[in-house]
């Protein structure tokens, strides 16, 4: 994010929530502020989404992208049985 004030953060969160391509968004610690998972049909679709949408969101300063090559495991239940005590 460019600035970490409440108004910019609220505007960014609202904008992200409105994007159908974004299937999940997490506030994270470390070098980045947010981690988004987006689903696009192909690399050209992602390029259009990146340049036409993400880079224009309020407060966005920098974007770093990673791409899933292959799904190894997904949708496994969380091991929360230890919390029942």
């Amino acid at each position: 994010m460019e600035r970490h004030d409440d108004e910019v953060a609220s505007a960014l969160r609202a904008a992200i929530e409105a994007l159908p391509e974004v299937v999940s968004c997490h506030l994270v610690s470390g070098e980045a502020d947010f981690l988004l998972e987006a689903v696009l049909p192909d690399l050209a679709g992602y390029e259009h989404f990146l340049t036409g949408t993400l880079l224009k969101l309020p407060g966005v300063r920098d974007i770093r992208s990673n791409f899933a090559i292959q799904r190894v495991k997904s949708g496994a239940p969380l091991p929360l049985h230890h919390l029942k005590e």
Side-chain angles (χ1 to χ4, degrees), residues 23-44:
V23 296
S24 69
C25 175
H26 304 272
L27 179 64
V28 297
S29 66
E31 196 171 317
D33 295 308
F34 291 94
L35 173 65
L36 278 63
E37 183 179 356
V39 177
L40 285 297
D42 53 28
L43 192 55

Side-chain angles (χ1 to χ4, degrees), residues 38-68:
V39 177
L40 285 297
D42 53 28
L43 192 55
Y46 177 73
E47 179 184 6
H48 179 72
F49 180 63
L50 174 70
T51 59
T53 304
L54 290 180
L55 287 170
K56 295 179 180 179
L57 293 179
V60 171
R61 181 185 68 201
D62 186 33
I63 294 176
R64 296 186 183 160
S65 300
N66 292 293
F67 298 94

Side-chain angles (χ1 to χ4, degrees), residues 12-26:
L12 179 57
R13 286 177 187 220
I16 290 170
E17 287 179 6
L19 297 173
E21 298 90 347
V22 176
V23 296
S24 69
C25 175
H26 304 272

Side-chain angles (χ1 to χ4, degrees), residues 66-72:
N66 292 293
F67 298 94
I69 304 300
Q70 180 183 45
R71 180 181 299 148
V72 174

